[in-house]
Amino acid sequence: MAQTGCYPEKAPKMNQLLNTLCHNLRREVIHYFENIESKNTATVEDLATHIARRVPEMDHEQVSLELMHTHLPKLESNGWAEYDTRTHHVRYRGHDSAEELLAELAEMLSDHPHSSYSE
């Protein structure tokens, strides 16, 4: 049976992107660098303070611990950031093809695929 709408050659990148974006704290880190911080560096303290304000069900300490032990290492392993565990500094790298992959994913999941040549 032929698969339609699936891009097997892009599956590993798509899986990695979705794995990165599947947790709200990782999305908050990305949001911070993409929309709030004009530099591509911050401390864990900066990130935790910002995120704790946006995610009121978590306190600052809880956010900080989860960032250091789970989410910043995940962002680093997936190529989105560099995290220095000694200084607690984060350097954001972003993702070169995230926007393109997300657009392709949206089209694959859409009931009505659209062309990039819209009128």
Side-chain angles (χ1 to χ4, degrees):
M1 179 190 321
Q3 293 180 327
T4 58
C6 185
Y7 303 95
E9 70 280 357
K10 293 183 181 179
K13 281 187 176 182
M14 189 72 72
N15 289 343
Q16 184 180 43
L17 176 64
L18 293 174
N19 182 272
T20 299
L21 299 176
C22 74
H23 197 281
N24 70 321
L25 291 186
R26 290 193 291 273
R27 291 190 306 270
E28 287 294 339
V29 170
I30 293 166
H31 174 267
Y32 178 81
F33 285 111
E34 293 286 339
N35 299 293
I36 307 299
E37 182 55 55
S38 61
K39 304 175 299 204
N40 65 345
T41 59
T43 64
V44 171
E45 177 69 21
D46 296 335
L47 289 167
T49 298
H50 175 76
I51 293 170
R53 278 190 232 135
R54 289 179 47 93
V55 183
E57 63 272 12
M58 296 181 75
D59 66 30
H60 183 276
E61 185 177 342
Q62 182 182 10
V63 171
S64 183
L65 287 172
E66 286 197 29
L67 287 174
M68 289 187 295
H69 295 289
T70 304
H71 303 296
L72 293 174
K74 174 70 83 173
L75 287 168
E76 184 171 43
S77 71
N78 286 343
W80 285 74
E82 295 173 19
Y83 171 51
D84 188 328
T85 57
R86 293 167 300 139
T87 64
H88 300 288
H89 280 84
V90 179
R91 176 180 298 274
Y92 182 69
R93 295 179 161 270
H95 191 284
D96 292 341
S97 58
E99 190 172 335
E100 174 190 334
L101 289 170
L102 288 171
E104 288 178 17
L105 177 64
E107 189 170 333
M108 283 190 291
L109 298 175
S110 171
D111 288 280
H112 305 287
H114 62 282
S115 169
S116 59
Y117 301 101
S118 59
E119 298 178 309

